[in-house]
CSV table of all heavy atoms in Angstrom, one decimal:
chain,number,residue,atom,x,y,z
A,1,MET,N,-9.3,22.3,-11.0
A,1,MET,CA,-9.6,21.0,-10.3
A,1,MET,C,-8.2,20.4,-9.9
A,1,MET,O,-7.4,20.1,-10.8
A,1,MET,CB,-10.4,20.1,-11.2
A,1,MET,CG,-11.0,18.9,-10.4
A,1,MET,SD,-11.5,17.6,-11.6
A,1,MET,CE,-12.7,18.5,-12.6
A,2,PRO,N,-8.0,20.2,-8.6
A,2,PRO,CA,-6.7,19.6,-8.3
A,2,PRO,C,-6.6,18.1,-8.3
A,2,PRO,O,-7.6,17.5,-8.7
A,2,PRO,CB,-6.5,20.1,-6.8
A,2,PRO,CG,-7.9,20.2,-6.3
A,2,PRO,CD,-8.8,20.5,-7.5
A,3,ILE,N,-5.5,17.6,-8.1
A,3,ILE,CA,-5.3,16.1,-8.1
A,3,ILE,C,-5.2,15.6,-6.6
A,3,ILE,O,-5.0,16.3,-5.7
A,3,ILE,CB,-4.0,15.7,-8.8
A,3,ILE,CG1,-2.8,16.4,-8.2
A,3,ILE,CG2,-4.1,16.0,-10.3
A,3,ILE,CD1,-1.5,15.7,-8.5
A,4,LYS,N,-5.4,14.3,-6.6
A,4,LYS,CA,-5.2,13.6,-5.3
A,4,LYS,C,-4.2,12.5,-5.5
A,4,LYS,O,-4.3,11.7,-6.4
A,4,LYS,CB,-6.6,13.1,-4.8
A,4,LYS,CG,-6.6,12.5,-3.4
A,4,LYS,CD,-8.0,12.2,-3.0
A,4,LYS,CE,-7.9,11.0,-2.0
A,4,LYS,NZ,-9.0,10.1,-2.2
A,5,ILE,N,-3.3,12.4,-4.6
A,5,ILE,CA,-2.3,11.4,-4.7
A,5,ILE,C,-2.5,10.3,-3.6
A,5,ILE,O,-2.7,10.7,-2.4
A,5,ILE,CB,-0.8,11.9,-4.5
A,5,ILE,CG1,-0.5,13.0,-5.5
A,5,ILE,CG2,0.2,10.8,-4.6
A,5,ILE,CD1,0.8,13.7,-5.3
A,6,ASP,N,-2.7,9.1,-4.0
A,6,ASP,CA,-2.8,8.0,-3.1
A,6,ASP,C,-1.5,7.5,-2.7
A,6,ASP,O,-0.8,6.7,-3.5
A,6,ASP,CB,-3.7,6.9,-3.7
A,6,ASP,CG,-4.0,5.8,-2.7
A,6,ASP,OD1,-3.3,5.6,-1.7
A,6,ASP,OD2,-5.0,5.0,-3.0
A,7,TYR,N,-1.0,7.9,-1.6
A,7,TYR,CA,0.4,7.5,-1.2
A,7,TYR,C,0.6,6.0,-0.8
A,7,TYR,O,1.7,5.6,-0.8
A,7,TYR,CB,0.9,8.4,0.0
A,7,TYR,CG,1.1,9.8,-0.4
A,7,TYR,CD1,0.2,10.8,-0.1
A,7,TYR,CD2,2.3,10.1,-1.2
A,7,TYR,CE1,0.5,12.1,-0.6
A,7,TYR,CE2,2.5,11.4,-1.6
A,7,TYR,CZ,1.6,12.4,-1.3
A,7,TYR,OH,1.8,13.7,-1.8
A,8,LYS,N,-0.5,5.3,-0.7
A,8,LYS,CA,-0.4,3.9,-0.4
A,8,LYS,C,0.0,3.2,-1.8
A,8,LYS,O,0.7,2.2,-1.8
A,8,LYS,CB,-1.7,3.3,0.1
A,8,LYS,CG,-1.9,3.6,1.6
A,8,LYS,CD,-3.1,2.7,2.1
A,8,LYS,CE,-3.7,3.5,3.2
A,8,LYS,NZ,-5.2,3.7,3.0
A,9,LYS,N,-0.6,3.7,-2.9
A,9,LYS,CA,-0.3,3.1,-4.2
A,9,LYS,C,1.0,3.6,-4.8
A,9,LYS,O,1.7,2.9,-5.6
A,9,LYS,CB,-1.4,3.5,-5.1
A,9,LYS,CG,-2.7,2.8,-4.9
A,9,LYS,CD,-3.7,3.1,-6.0
A,9,LYS,CE,-5.0,2.4,-5.7
A,9,LYS,NZ,-6.0,2.9,-6.7
A,10,CYS,N,1.4,4.8,-4.4
A,10,CYS,CA,2.7,5.4,-5.0
A,10,CYS,C,3.9,4.6,-4.6
A,10,CYS,O,4.1,4.3,-3.4
A,10,CYS,CB,2.8,6.9,-4.6
A,10,CYS,SG,4.3,7.7,-5.2
A,11,CYS,N,4.8,4.4,-5.6
A,11,CYS,CA,6.0,3.6,-5.3
A,11,CYS,C,7.1,4.4,-4.5
A,11,CYS,O,8.0,3.8,-4.0
A,11,CYS,CB,6.6,3.0,-6.6
A,11,CYS,SG,7.2,4.3,-7.7
A,12,TRP,N,6.9,5.7,-4.6
A,12,TRP,CA,8.0,6.6,-4.1
A,12,TRP,C,7.8,6.8,-2.6
A,12,TRP,O,6.9,7.5,-2.2
A,12,TRP,CB,8.0,7.9,-4.8
A,12,TRP,CG,9.3,8.7,-4.6
A,12,TRP,CD1,9.5,9.7,-3.8
A,12,TRP,CD2,10.6,8.4,-5.2
A,12,TRP,NE1,10.8,10.1,-3.8
A,12,TRP,CE2,11.5,9.4,-4.7
A,12,TRP,CE3,11.0,7.5,-6.2
A,12,TRP,CZ2,12.8,9.4,-5.1
A,12,TRP,CZ3,12.3,7.6,-6.6
A,12,TRP,CH2,13.2,8.5,-6.0
A,13,LYS,N,8.6,6.2,-1.7
A,13,LYS,CA,8.5,6.3,-0.3
A,13,LYS,C,9.8,6.6,0.4
A,13,LYS,O,10.8,5.9,0.0
A,13,LYS,CB,7.9,5.0,0.3
A,13,LYS,CG,6.5,4.7,-0.3
A,13,LYS,CD,5.8,3.5,0.5
A,13,LYS,CE,4.7,2.9,-0.3
A,13,LYS,NZ,3.6,3.7,-0.8
A,14,ASN,N,9.9,7.5,1.3
A,14,ASN,CA,11.1,7.8,2.0
A,14,ASN,C,12.3,8.1,1.1
A,14,ASN,O,13.4,7.7,1.3
A,14,ASN,CB,11.5,6.7,3.0
A,14,ASN,CG,10.5,6.5,4.1
A,14,ASN,OD1,10.1,7.5,4.7
A,14,ASN,ND2,10.1,5.3,4.4
A,15,GLY,N,12.0,8.9,0.0
A,15,GLY,CA,13.0,9.3,-0.8
A,15,GLY,C,13.5,8.4,-1.8
A,15,GLY,O,14.6,8.6,-2.5
A,16,LYS,N,12.9,7.2,-2.0
A,16,LYS,CA,13.3,6.3,-3.0
A,16,LYS,C,12.1,5.4,-3.5
A,16,LYS,O,11.1,5.3,-2.8
A,16,LYS,CB,14.5,5.4,-2.5
A,16,LYS,CG,14.1,4.7,-1.3
A,16,LYS,CD,15.3,3.9,-0.8
A,16,LYS,CE,14.9,3.1,0.4
A,16,LYS,NZ,15.6,2.2,1.1
A,17,CYS,N,12.4,4.7,-4.6
A,17,CYS,CA,11.3,3.8,-5.1
A,17,CYS,C,11.3,2.6,-4.3
A,17,CYS,O,12.4,1.9,-4.1
A,17,CYS,CB,11.6,3.5,-6.6
A,17,CYS,SG,10.5,2.2,-7.2
A,18,SER,N,10.1,2.2,-3.8
A,18,SER,CA,10.0,1.1,-2.9
A,18,SER,C,9.6,-0.2,-3.6
A,18,SER,O,9.6,-1.3,-3.0
A,18,SER,CB,9.0,1.4,-1.8
A,18,SER,OG,7.8,1.6,-2.4
A,19,SER,N,9.2,-0.1,-4.9
A,19,SER,CA,8.7,-1.4,-5.4
A,19,SER,C,9.1,-1.6,-6.9
A,19,SER,O,9.6,-2.7,-7.2
A,19,SER,CB,7.2,-1.4,-5.3
A,19,SER,OG,6.6,-0.2,-5.9
A,20,CYS,N,8.9,-0.7,-7.8
A,20,CYS,CA,9.0,-1.0,-9.2
A,20,CYS,C,10.4,-0.8,-9.7
A,20,CYS,O,10.7,-1.1,-10.9
A,20,CYS,CB,8.0,-0.2,-10.0
A,20,CYS,SG,8.3,1.5,-10.1
A,21,GLY,N,11.3,-0.2,-8.9
A,21,GLY,CA,12.7,0.0,-9.4
A,21,GLY,C,12.9,1.1,-10.3
A,21,GLY,O,13.9,1.2,-11.1
A,22,CYS,N,11.9,2.1,-10.4
A,22,CYS,CA,12.0,3.2,-11.3
A,22,CYS,C,13.2,4.1,-11.1
A,22,CYS,O,13.8,4.6,-12.0
A,22,CYS,CB,10.7,4.0,-11.4
A,22,CYS,SG,10.3,4.8,-9.8
A,23,GLY,N,13.6,4.3,-9.8
A,23,GLY,CA,14.7,5.1,-9.5
A,23,GLY,C,14.6,6.5,-10.2
A,23,GLY,O,13.6,7.1,-10.3
A,24,GLY,N,15.8,7.0,-10.6
A,24,GLY,CA,15.8,8.3,-11.2
A,24,GLY,C,15.4,8.2,-12.7
A,24,GLY,O,15.1,9.3,-13.3
A,25,ALA,N,15.2,7.0,-13.2
A,25,ALA,CA,14.8,6.9,-14.6
A,25,ALA,C,13.3,6.8,-14.7
A,25,ALA,O,12.8,6.7,-15.9
A,25,ALA,CB,15.4,5.6,-15.2
A,26,CYS,N,12.6,7.0,-13.7
A,26,CYS,CA,11.1,6.9,-13.7
A,26,CYS,C,10.6,7.9,-14.7
A,26,CYS,O,10.9,9.1,-14.6
A,26,CYS,CB,10.5,7.2,-12.3
A,26,CYS,SG,8.7,7.2,-12.3
A,27,ASN,N,9.7,7.5,-15.5
A,27,ASN,CA,9.0,8.5,-16.4
A,27,ASN,C,7.6,8.6,-16.0
A,27,ASN,O,6.7,8.1,-16.7
A,27,ASN,CB,9.1,7.9,-17.9
A,27,ASN,CG,8.8,9.0,-18.9
A,27,ASN,OD1,8.9,10.2,-18.6
A,27,ASN,ND2,8.4,8.6,-20.1
A,28,GLY,N,7.4,9.2,-14.9
A,28,GLY,CA,6.1,9.2,-14.2
A,28,GLY,C,5.6,10.6,-14.1
A,28,GLY,O,5.9,11.5,-14.9
A,29,CYS,N,4.9,10.8,-13.0
A,29,CYS,CA,4.2,12.1,-12.8
A,29,CYS,C,5.1,13.3,-12.8
A,29,CYS,O,4.8,14.3,-13.4
A,29,CYS,CB,3.4,12.0,-11.5
A,29,CYS,SG,4.5,11.7,-10.0
A,30,VAL,N,6.2,13.2,-12.1
A,30,VAL,CA,7.1,14.3,-12.0
A,30,VAL,C,7.7,14.8,-13.4
A,30,VAL,O,7.7,16.0,-13.7
A,30,VAL,CB,8.3,14.0,-11.0
A,30,VAL,CG1,9.3,15.1,-11.0
A,30,VAL,CG2,7.8,13.7,-9.6
A,31,GLU,N,8.0,13.8,-14.2
A,31,GLU,CA,8.6,14.1,-15.5
A,31,GLU,C,7.6,14.7,-16.5
A,31,GLU,O,8.0,15.5,-17.3
A,31,GLU,CB,9.2,12.8,-16.1
A,31,GLU,CG,10.5,12.3,-15.4
A,31,GLU,CD,10.3,11.7,-14.0
A,31,GLU,OE1,9.1,11.3,-13.7
A,31,GLU,OE2,11.2,11.5,-13.3
A,32,VAL,N,6.4,14.3,-16.4
A,32,VAL,CA,5.4,14.8,-17.4
A,32,VAL,C,4.8,16.1,-17.0
A,32,VAL,O,4.2,16.8,-17.9
A,32,VAL,CB,4.3,13.7,-17.7
A,32,VAL,CG1,4.9,12.5,-18.3
A,32,VAL,CG2,3.5,13.5,-16.5
A,33,CYS,N,4.8,16.5,-15.8
A,33,CYS,CA,4.1,17.7,-15.4
A,33,CYS,C,4.7,18.9,-16.1
A,33,CYS,O,5.9,19.2,-15.9
A,33,CYS,CB,4.2,17.9,-13.9
A,33,CYS,SG,3.3,19.4,-13.3
A,34,PRO,N,3.9,19.6,-16.9
A,34,PRO,CA,4.4,20.7,-17.7
A,34,PRO,C,4.8,22.0,-16.8
A,34,PRO,O,5.4,22.9,-17.4
A,34,PRO,CB,3.3,21.0,-18.6
A,34,PRO,CG,2.1,20.6,-17.9
A,34,PRO,CD,2.5,19.4,-17.1
A,35,VAL,N,4.3,22.0,-15.6
A,35,VAL,CA,4.5,23.2,-14.8
A,35,VAL,C,5.3,23.0,-13.5
A,35,VAL,O,5.4,23.8,-12.6
A,35,VAL,CB,3.2,23.9,-14.5
A,35,VAL,CG1,2.5,24.4,-15.7
A,35,VAL,CG2,2.2,23.0,-13.8
A,36,ASN,N,5.9,21.8,-13.5
A,36,ASN,CA,6.8,21.4,-12.3
A,36,ASN,C,6.0,21.5,-11.0
A,36,ASN,O,6.5,22.0,-10.0
A,36,ASN,CB,8.0,22.3,-12.2
A,36,ASN,CG,8.9,22.0,-13.4
A,36,ASN,OD1,9.1,20.9,-13.8
A,36,ASN,ND2,9.5,23.1,-13.9
A,37,ALA,N,4.7,21.1,-11.0
A,37,ALA,CA,4.0,21.1,-9.8
A,37,ALA,C,4.2,19.9,-8.9
A,37,ALA,O,3.8,19.9,-7.7
A,37,ALA,CB,2.5,21.2,-10.1
A,38,LEU,N,5.0,18.9,-9.4
A,38,LEU,CA,5.3,17.7,-8.6
A,38,LEU,C,6.8,17.6,-8.5
A,38,LEU,O,7.5,17.9,-9.4
A,38,LEU,CB,4.7,16.5,-9.4
A,38,LEU,CG,3.2,16.4,-9.5
A,38,LEU,CD1,2.8,15.5,-10.6
A,38,LEU,CD2,2.5,16.1,-8.2
A,39,LYS,N,7.2,17.1,-7.4
A,39,LYS,CA,8.6,16.8,-7.2
A,39,LYS,C,8.8,15.6,-6.2
A,39,LYS,O,8.0,15.4,-5.4
A,39,LYS,CB,9.5,18.0,-6.9
A,39,LYS,CG,9.4,18.4,-5.5
A,39,LYS,CD,10.5,19.5,-5.2
A,39,LYS,CE,10.4,19.8,-3.7
A,39,LYS,NZ,11.3,20.8,-3.3
A,40,ARG,N,9.9,14.9,-6.4
A,40,ARG,CA,10.1,13.8,-5.5
A,40,ARG,C,11.0,14.2,-4.3
A,40,ARG,O,12.2,14.5,-4.5
A,40,ARG,CB,10.8,12.6,-6.2
A,40,ARG,CG,9.8,11.9,-7.2
A,40,ARG,CD,10.5,10.7,-7.8
A,40,ARG,NE,9.6,10.1,-8.8
A,40,ARG,CZ,9.6,10.5,-10.0
A,40,ARG,NH1,10.4,11.4,-10.5
A,40,ARG,NH2,8.7,9.9,-10.9
A,41,GLY,N,10.5,14.3,-3.2
A,41,GLY,CA,11.2,14.5,-2.0
A,41,GLY,C,11.2,13.2,-1.2
A,41,GLY,O,11.4,12.1,-1.7
A,42,LYS,N,10.9,13.3,0.1
A,42,LYS,CA,10.6,12.0,0.9
A,42,LYS,C,9.4,11.3,0.3
A,42,LYS,O,9.4,10.1,0.3
A,42,LYS,CB,10.4,12.4,2.3
A,42,LYS,CG,11.7,12.7,3.1
A,42,LYS,CD,11.5,12.4,4.6
A,42,LYS,CE,12.6,11.7,5.1
A,42,LYS,NZ,12.5,11.1,6.4
A,43,LYS,N,8.4,12.1,-0.1
A,43,LYS,CA,7.3,11.5,-0.9
A,43,LYS,C,7.1,12.4,-2.1
A,43,LYS,O,7.9,13.4,-2.2
A,43,LYS,CB,6.1,11.4,0.0
A,43,LYS,CG,5.6,12.7,0.5
A,43,LYS,CD,4.4,12.6,1.4
A,43,LYS,CE,3.8,14.0,1.7
A,43,LYS,NZ,2.5,13.9,2.4
A,44,VAL,N,6.2,12.1,-2.9
A,44,VAL,CA,5.9,13.0,-4.0
A,44,VAL,C,5.2,14.2,-3.5
A,44,VAL,O,4.1,14.1,-2.9
A,44,VAL,CB,5.1,12.3,-5.1
A,44,VAL,CG1,4.7,13.3,-6.2
A,44,VAL,CG2,5.8,11.1,-5.7
A,45,GLU,N,5.8,15.4,-3.7
A,45,GLU,CA,5.2,16.6,-3.2
A,45,GLU,C,4.5,17.3,-4.3
A,45,GLU,O,4.9,17.4,-5.4
A,45,GLU,CB,6.3,17.5,-2.7
A,45,GLU,CG,7.0,16.9,-1.4
A,45,GLU,CD,8.4,17.5,-1.2
A,45,GLU,OE1,8.7,18.5,-1.8
A,45,GLU,OE2,9.1,16.8,-0.4
A,46,TYR,N,3.3,17.9,-4.0
A,46,TYR,CA,2.4,18.5,-4.9
A,46,TYR,C,2.2,19.9,-4.6
A,46,TYR,O,1.8,20.2,-3.4
A,46,TYR,CB,1.1,17.7,-4.9
A,46,TYR,CG,0.0,18.3,-5.7
A,46,TYR,CD1,0.2,18.7,-7.0
A,46,TYR,CD2,-1.3,18.5,-5.1
A,46,TYR,CE1,-0.9,19.3,-7.7
A,46,TYR,CE2,-2.3,19.0,-5.8
A,46,TYR,CZ,-2.1,19.4,-7.1
A,46,TYR,OH,-3.2,20.0,-7.8
A,47,LYS,N,2.5,20.8,-5.5
A,47,LYS,CA,2.2,22.2,-5.3
A,47,LYS,C,0.9,22.6,-6.0
A,47,LYS,O,0.9,22.9,-7.2
A,47,LYS,CB,3.4,23.0,-5.8
A,47,LYS,CG,3.6,24.3,-5.0
A,47,LYS,CD,4.6,25.2,-5.6
A,47,LYS,CE,6.0,25.0,-5.1
A,47,LYS,NZ,6.9,26.0,-5.6
A,48,GLU,N,-0.1,22.6,-5.3
A,48,GLU,CA,-1.4,22.9,-5.9
A,48,GLU,C,-1.6,24.2,-6.6
A,48,GLU,O,-2.2,24.3,-7.6
A,48,GLU,CB,-2.5,22.8,-4.8
A,48,GLU,CG,-3.9,22.8,-5.3
A,48,GLU,CD,-5.0,22.6,-4.3
A,48,GLU,OE1,-4.7,22.0,-3.2
A,48,GLU,OE2,-6.1,23.1,-4.5
A,49,SER,N,-0.9,25.2,-6.1
A,49,SER,CA,-1.0,26.6,-6.7
A,49,SER,C,-0.4,26.6,-8.1
A,49,SER,O,-0.8,27.5,-8.9
A,49,SER,CB,-0.3,27.6,-5.8
A,49,SER,OG,1.0,27.2,-5.6
A,50,GLU,N,0.5,25.7,-8.4
A,50,GLU,CA,1.1,25.6,-9.8
A,50,GLU,C,0.3,24.8,-10.7
A,50,GLU,O,0.4,24.9,-12.0
A,50,GLU,CB,2.5,25.0,-9.7
A,50,GLU,CG,3.4,25.7,-8.7
A,50,GLU,CD,3.9,27.1,-9.3
A,50,GLU,OE1,4.1,27.2,-10.5
A,50,GLU,OE2,3.9,28.0,-8.5
A,51,CYS,N,-0.6,23.9,-10.2
A,51,CYS,CA,-1.2,22.9,-11.1
A,51,CYS,C,-2.3,23.5,-12.0
A,51,CYS,O,-3.1,24.4,-11.6
A,51,CYS,CB,-1.9,21.9,-10.2
A,51,CYS,SG,-2.8,20.6,-11.0
A,52,ILE,N,-2.2,23.1,-13.3
A,52,ILE,CA,-3.2,23.6,-14.3
A,52,ILE,C,-4.2,22.5,-14.6
A,52,ILE,O,-4.9,22.6,-15.6
A,52,ILE,CB,-2.5,24.1,-15.5
A,52,ILE,CG1,-1.6,23.0,-16.1
A,52,ILE,CG2,-1.7,25.4,-15.2
A,52,ILE,CD1,-1.0,23.3,-17.5
A,53,SER,N,-4.3,21.5,-13.8
A,53,SER,CA,-5.3,20.4,-14.0
A,53,SER,C,-5.3,19.7,-15.4
A,53,SER,O,-6.3,19.4,-15.9
A,53,SER,CB,-6.7,20.9,-13.7
A,53,SER,OG,-6.7,21.5,-12.4
A,54,CYS,N,-4.1,19.5,-15.9
A,54,CYS,CA,-4.0,19.0,-17.3
A,54,CYS,C,-4.2,17.5,-17.3
A,54,CYS,O,-4.6,16.9,-18.3
A,54,CYS,CB,-2.6,19.3,-17.9
A,54,CYS,SG,-1.3,18.4,-17.1
A,55,GLY,N,-4.0,16.8,-16.2
A,55,GLY,CA,-4.2,15.4,-16.1
A,55,GLY,C,-3.1,14.5,-16.6
A,55,GLY,O,-3.2,13.3,-16.6
A,56,ALA,N,-2.0,15.1,-17.1
A,56,ALA,CA,-0.9,14.3,-17.6
A,56,ALA,C,-0.3,13.4,-16.5
A,56,ALA,O,0.1,12.2,-16.9
A,56,ALA,CB,0.2,15.3,-18.1
A,57,CYS,N,-0.2,13.8,-15.3
A,57,CYS,CA,0.3,12.9,-14.3
A,57,CYS,C,-0.6,11.7,-14.0
A,57,CYS,O,-0.1,10.6,-13.7
A,57,CYS,CB,0.5,13.7,-13.0
A,57,CYS,SG,-1.0,14.5,-12.4
A,58,VAL,N,-1.9,11.9,-14.2
A,58,VAL,CA,-2.8,10.8,-14.0
A,58,VAL,C,-2.5,9.7,-15.0
A,58,VAL,O,-2.4,8.5,-14.7
A,58,VAL,CB,-4.3,11.2,-14.1
A,58,VAL,CG1,-5.2,10.1,-14.0
A,58,VAL,CG2,-4.6,12.3,-13.1
A,59,SER,N,-2.3,10.1,-16.3
A,59,SER,CA,-2.0,9.1,-17.3
A,59,SER,C,-0.6,8.5,-17.2
A,59,SER,O,-0.4,7.3,-17.5
A,59,SER,CB,-2.1,9.8,-18.7
A,59,SER,OG,-3.3,10.5,-18.8
A,60,ALA,N,0.3,9.3,-16.7
A,60,ALA,CA,1.7,8.8,-16.6
A,60,ALA,C,1.9,7.9,-15.4
A,60,ALA,O,2.9,7.1,-15.5
A,60,ALA,CB,2.6,10.0,-16.5
A,61,CYS,N,1.1,7.9,-14.4
A,61,CYS,CA,1.4,7.1,-13.3
A,61,CYS,C,1.0,5.6,-13.5
A,61,CYS,O,-0.1,5.3,-13.8
A,61,CYS,CB,0.6,7.6,-12.1
A,61,CYS,SG,0.9,6.5,-10.6
A,62,LYS,N,2.1,4.8,-13.5
A,62,LYS,CA,1.8,3.3,-13.8
A,62,LYS,C,1.2,2.6,-12.6
A,62,LYS,O,0.9,1.4,-12.7
A,62,LYS,CB,3.1,2.7,-14.2
A,62,LYS,CG,4.4,3.2,-13.6
A,62,LYS,CD,5.6,2.7,-14.2
A,62,LYS,CE,6.8,3.3,-13.4
A,62,LYS,NZ,7.9,3.7,-14.2
A,63,HIS,N,1.1,3.3,-11.4
A,63,HIS,CA,0.5,2.6,-10.3
A,63,HIS,C,-0.9,3.1,-9.9
A,63,HIS,O,-1.4,2.9,-8.9
A,63,HIS,CB,1.4,2.8,-9.1
A,63,HIS,CG,2.8,2.1,-9.2
A,63,HIS,ND1,2.9,0.8,-9.2
A,63,HIS,CD2,4.0,2.6,-9.5
A,63,HIS,CE1,4.2,0.4,-9.4
A,63,HIS,NE2,4.9,1.6,-9.6
A,64,ASP,N,-1.5,3.9,-10.9
A,64,ASP,CA,-2.8,4.5,-10.7
A,64,ASP,C,-2.9,5.2,-9.3
A,64,ASP,O,-3.9,5.0,-8.6
A,64,ASP,CB,-3.9,3.4,-10.7
A,64,ASP,CG,-4.0,2.8,-12.1
A,64,ASP,OD1,-3.9,3.6,-13.1
A,64,ASP,OD2,-4.3,1.6,-12.3
A,65,ALA,N,-1.9,5.9,-9.0
A,65,ALA,CA,-1.9,6.6,-7.7
A,65,ALA,C,-2.4,8.0,-7.7
A,65,ALA,O,-2.5,8.6,-6.6
A,65,ALA,CB,-0.4,6.6,-7.1
A,66,ILE,N,-2.7,8.5,-8.9
A,66,ILE,CA,-3.2,9.9,-9.0
A,66,ILE,C,-4.5,10.0,-9.7
A,66,ILE,O,-4.7,9.3,-10.7
A,66,ILE,CB,-2.1,10.8,-9.8
A,66,ILE,CG1,-0.7,10.6,-9.2
A,66,ILE,CG2,-2.6,12.2,-9.7
A,66,ILE,CD1,0.3,11.5,-9.9
A,67,GLU,N,-5.4,10.8,-9.1
A,67,GLU,CA,-6.6,11.0,-9.8
A,67,GLU,C,-7.0,12.5,-9.8
A,67,GLU,O,-6.5,13.2,-8.8
A,67,GLU,CB,-7.8,10.2,-9.2
A,67,GLU,CG,-8.0,10.5,-7.7
A,67,GLU,CD,-9.2,9.7,-7.1
A,67,GLU,OE1,-10.1,9.4,-7.9
A,67,GLU,OE2,-9.2,9.5,-5.9
A,68,LEU,N,-7.7,12.9,-10.8
A,68,LEU,CA,-8.2,14.3,-10.8
A,68,LEU,C,-9.5,14.3,-9.9
A,68,LEU,O,-10.3,13.4,-10.0
A,68,LEU,CB,-8.6,14.8,-12.2
A,68,LEU,CG,-7.4,15.2,-13.1
A,68,LEU,CD1,-8.0,15.4,-14.5
A,68,LEU,CD2,-6.8,16.5,-12.6
A,69,ILE,N,-9.6,15.3,-9.0
A,69,ILE,CA,-10.8,15.3,-8.2
A,69,ILE,C,-11.6,16.6,-8.4
A,69,ILE,O,-11.1,17.5,-9.0
A,69,ILE,CB,-10.4,15.2,-6.7
A,69,ILE,CG1,-9.3,16.2,-6.3
A,69,ILE,CG2,-9.9,13.8,-6.4
A,69,ILE,CD1,-9.1,16.3,-4.8
B,101,SF4,S1,-2.6,17.7,-13.4
B,101,SF4,FE1,-1.0,18.4,-14.8
B,101,SF4,S2,-0.3,20.3,-13.9
B,101,SF4,FE2,-1.4,19.3,-12.3
B,101,SF4,S3,0.2,18.1,-11.2
B,101,SF4,FE3,-0.6,16.7,-12.8
B,101,SF4,S4,0.7,17.0,-14.6
B,101,SF4,FE4,1.1,18.7,-13.2
B,102,SF4,S1,4.1,8.2,-11.3
B,102,SF4,FE1,2.8,7.4,-9.7
B,102,SF4,S2,3.9,5.9,-8.6
B,102,SF4,FE2,5.4,7.2,-9.8
B,102,SF4,S3,6.1,8.7,-8.3
B,102,SF4,FE3,4.3,9.6,-9.5
B,102,SF4,S4,2.5,9.1,-8.1
B,102,SF4,FE4,4.2,7.8,-7.5
């Protein structure tokens, strides 16, 4: 089961944090993903083929921007 990212809620826009000031110290979805399926580019990029549906990113996101679908 893959995840869905709500880019309206996600703070990471155009390669930087737009609201909460997490910057490189953010302990969010990218940091907790055990298989590196997420990375911060211009937006948070998700590689579905790597995802093991663990749900860690959903819990880690402080902006409720990720859900398991
Ligand atoms: S559900 Fe787990 S494996 Fe998939 S992107 Fe989120 S943290 Fe990574
Ligand atoms: S933890 Fe949430 S708000 Fe932070 S980069 Fe990931 S999806 Fe965006």
